[in-house]
Amino acid sequence: MNIRAPSPADGQQLILLFGMPRSGTTWLGKLFDSHPHVLYCHEPDHRRVFADSGAADAADRYRLELQTFVAGLPALQSLRVAGKRPLFRKKFMSEFGFQVARLSTEVARAGSRVYPAFPIVVHHDGSGDPERRVVWKSIQSLSSLAPTLTALEKARGIHILRHPCGYIASTLRGVDLKTFSDNSSIGWMAYKSARNAAGTPLGDRFGFGDDHEQMVRDLTPEERLAWHWVLTNEKARMEVGDNTRYLRVRYEDICRDPQAGVQKMFEFAGLEMSDQTQAFIAASTGSSQNDYYSVYKNPSQAAWRWREELDDQTVARVMAIATRSTLGAEYANMTPPEGRPS
């Protein structure tokens, strides 16, 4: 009898791997992708914003929209979603099938230079694997994690948290490299977070009301990013509450002990450690590449690089904001591993 993988439409065997940009989400995503039973979807919600309303009729529409979206995840053939390097062989692929899929991915990569939407023609969706887990990695949907878990009643959500200074230093490095942003969009992110929080329990807690625009306008770029970090992460934490299908992990803890960190996440996801994952942990932490988006980095150096990039006054201003929140307070006394700058 041929037993097929369940559809992820209601969240069955679906893992949400959500975090803010520049929080280690790509590395953690590829750690999951290295598992032979995981079908990994890299930021399929890029440039797509789901509704986030508490009204009953809107919640029903939101549920249907999400269920339709995740049901289609395994079939996505875009290079951005299904072709993120490195590629890993899966239990639902033969060696020949893997090589053909890899070749098809490289053809799509070359073709995308002419036609950006060039698809991966040979794509394995893992539908014949009853142990398949679909992983949706996102830097777009963290603020909607709680309603997403509510709508997808069997999904499990992992919230990736990074030290606010690490997030800020990496974001500003991207600005300097002209990789993805600038100071005006930093301001826009903070204005949006403050506007969405105003008039809610979250905004009341941190003093964001009708004057939120003026409050943000008077801040430095680092302070704006600090508030964006607080409001985005605290929204997810507060709304999820004590949901047992929610796990919060700190990037720095996984960098400190990748083996234990991956084991914890895999157990939550119902996965066992695999030899392929063990090999990728060793490869990704044992060498470094200079590319801004590389997953091959010394984890301790990557996690604590911000101490060499932000001066003491900036760190103090950032932490004065961050530690007003429950999540920021967790970082107040975190120390770098031995051998890193203190």
Side-chain angles (χ1 to χ4, degrees):
M1 181 174 63
N2 184 22
I3 302 176
R4 298 179 64 80
S7 168
D10 62 353
Q12 180 73 24
Q13 295 188 335
L14 174 69
I15 309 301
L16 312 175
L17 196 62
F18 288 5
M20 295 186 70
R22 310 313 305 157
S23 295
T25 60
T26 297
W27 178 47
L28 270 61
K30 291 312 269 182
L31 286 167
F32 268 92
D33 188 21
S34 68
H35 195 283
H37 288 295
V38 163
L39 180 70
Y40 175 65
C41 299
H42 183 84
E43 300 175 9
D45 53 339
H46 178 61
R47 295 181 179 175
R48 177 170 184 168
V49 179
F50 292 99
D52 182 9
S53 172
D57 60 338
D60 288 340
R61 291 196 303 272
Y62 182 61
R63 179 178 291 104
L64 179 60
E65 182 184 8
L66 267 175
Q67 290 177 346
T68 302
F69 174 74
V70 300
L73 289 179
L76 293 179
Q77 296 174 259
S78 75
L79 184 64
R80 178 186 180 90
V81 174
K84 184 71 174 177
R85 292 169 173 161
L87 304 178
F88 299 95
R89 182 182 169 184
K90 306 297 179 176
K91 286 291 186 181
F92 46 81
M93 298 180 188
S94 65
E95 177 60 30
F96 176 75
F98 172 57
Q99 295 302 335
V100 172
R102 184 162 63 178
L103 176 60
S104 181
T105 301
E106 293 311 310
V107 170
R109 199 176 310 281
S112 66
R113 297 168 187 162
V114 177
Y115 175 57
F118 199 106
I120 300 173
V121 176
V122 179
H123 171 67
H124 299 272
D125 65 7
S127 58
D129 180 4
E131 297 182 55
R132 182 192 70 182
R133 300 288 192 278
V134 176
V135 172
W136 168 10
K137 181 266 194 187
S138 176
I139 57 172
Q140 178 78 20
S141 299
L142 177 59
S143 62
S144 298
L145 178 56
T148 300
L149 284 174
T150 299
L152 305 174
E153 298 174 354
K154 297 181 180 179
R156 294 176 181 270
I158 299 178
H159 176 180
I160 302 168
L161 196 68
R162 185 179 187 180
H163 195 297
C165 290
Y167 156 71
I168 290 168
S170 185
T171 300
L172 293 177
R173 195 182 320 130
V175 172
D176 290 342
L177 294 173
K178 301 185 184 304
T179 302
F180 61 90
S181 187
D182 57 26
N183 283 347
S184 62
S185 57
I186 287 173
W188 176 83
M189 289 188 295
Y191 280 119
K192 181 181 178 182
S193 295
R195 182 182 68 245
N196 291 342
T200 70
L202 178 68
D204 293 343
R205 177 181 173 186
F206 295 110
F208 284 94
D210 294 338
D211 61 343
H212 62 273
E213 290 190 8
Q214 184 61 49
M215 290 176 62
V216 173
R217 188 177 300 120
D218 293 340
L219 300 174
T220 66
E222 294 85 359
E223 290 169 334
R224 291 174 179 174
L225 286 171
W227 275 118
H228 182 53
W229 184 95
V230 166
L231 295 172
T232 302
N233 284 299
E234 284 292 328
K235 182 178 188 293
R237 182 195 69 82
M238 292 172 62
E239 292 182 350
V240 167
D242 58 359
N243 192 322
T244 58
R245 293 181 290 115
Y246 167 80
L247 174 70
R248 188 170 65 251
V249 298
R250 298 191 302 190
Y251 171 67
E252 292 78 14
D253 293 333
I254 299 172
C255 287
R256 191 183 300 266
D257 190 343
Q259 179 75 27
V262 172
Q263 186 70 47
K264 178 180 179 180
M265 291 189 295
F266 275 16
E267 287 179 358
F268 175 77
L271 295 168
E272 295 183 357
M273 184 66 73
S274 70
D275 292 341
Q276 189 165 253
T277 298
Q278 296 274 23
F280 180 63
I281 291 174
S284 63
T285 62
S287 61
S288 294
Q289 297 177 358
N290 291 328
D291 182 78
Y292 185 65
Y293 293 106
S294 175
V295 296
Y296 294 92
K297 297 179 181 179
N298 180 300
S300 293
Q301 291 180 357
W304 295 95
R305 182 175 175 179
W306 62 266
R307 300 185 74 90
E308 302 166 2
E309 298 177 320
L310 300 180
D311 59 57
D312 291 344
Q313 290 183 334
T314 299
V315 171
R317 290 199 308 270
V318 167
M319 293 308 292
I321 293 171
T323 53
R324 292 177 59 179
S325 70
T326 299
L327 297 179
E330 292 182 2
Y331 282 102
N333 298 314
M334 176 178 276
T335 58
E338 186 177 354
R340 297 302 302 153
S342 59

